[in-house]
Amino acid sequence: MIAIGSDHAGYELKQQLTQYFKEQGIPFEDFGTDGLASVDYPDYGIKVGEAVATGKYEFGIVICGTGIGISISANKVKGVRAALIYDENTAKLAKQHNNANVIALGGRTHPFEMAVKLVEAFRNEVFETRHQRRLDKLAHYEKEHSK
């Protein structure tokens, strides 16, 4: 299952992606926002990040105007590795090298067709375990500095 959320600037792209997921039979849960009224991206980046950190979701998708602010927000959640992806190569590498569990897109920078390509490129990759020691260092830092 995919966790997805956006602020107002990412709302339209989120709606298009959730419609695509419905059509493809891809399970997801929408964490908001529910319209175009101005909201704060940290609220939704953190909601999706917390949901993914529970382990219930395969991964998360967060969307704001550029994807930058909401990716920073999601990365504040312990255990989240959110990656701003902007082409198929970064989508693949986010999974292969970083085992990202949240991807960030820009509602103002990614047309729907490109967003689908990026999501699918990410979904179809696998983590290359040779990079695990780097993730272990991040986890160690989180553990030591979350006191």
Side-chain angles (χ1 to χ4, degrees):
M1 181 176 294
I2 299 170
I4 188 167
S6 73
D7 71 357
H8 57 283
Y11 175 75
E12 290 182 16
L13 181 57
K14 179 178 65 84
Q15 293 303 102
Q16 292 173 314
L17 285 172
T18 57
Q19 182 60 41
Y20 170 78
F21 296 154
K22 288 175 189 173
E23 291 169 0
Q24 298 300 310
I26 299 168
F28 69 92
E29 186 170 345
D30 186 343
F31 287 84
T33 189
D34 298 324
L36 295 171
S38 183
V39 295
D40 298 329
Y41 61 79
D43 298 337
Y44 300 94
I46 291 168
K47 279 183 187 180
V48 171
E50 288 177 340
V52 169
T54 69
K56 178 181 174 185
Y57 299 89
E58 178 186 355
F59 69 96
I61 301 171
V62 293
I63 311 166
C64 68
T66 62
I68 298 168
I70 204 162
S71 67
I72 292 169
S73 301
N75 274 316
K76 297 298 180 185
V77 177
K78 185 177 179 180
V80 169
R81 292 174 309 282
L84 173 61
I85 59 174
Y86 50 86
D87 61 21
E88 289 181 73
N89 191 46
T90 57
K92 291 175 182 180
L93 291 171
K95 177 64 81 63
Q96 291 173 355
H97 291 201
N98 308 111
N99 203 18
N101 53 10
V102 174
I103 55 173
L105 300 169
R108 295 178 178 147
T109 59
H110 291 95
F112 170 66
E113 295 79 15
M114 174 58 77
V116 168
K117 287 181 184 178
L118 300 184
V119 169
E120 292 300 339
F122 179 81
R123 285 183 70 219
N124 291 319
E125 284 303 319
V126 295
F127 175 57
E128 296 175 354
T129 57
R130 64 190 173 97
H131 299 285
Q132 185 61 48
R133 70 181 168 83
R134 296 172 183 132
L135 299 184
D136 292 343
K137 286 183 178 187
L138 293 173
H140 176 75
Y141 181 87
E142 277 185 339
K143 181 180 178 185
E144 292 297 313
H145 292 86
S146 66
K147 298 175 182 174

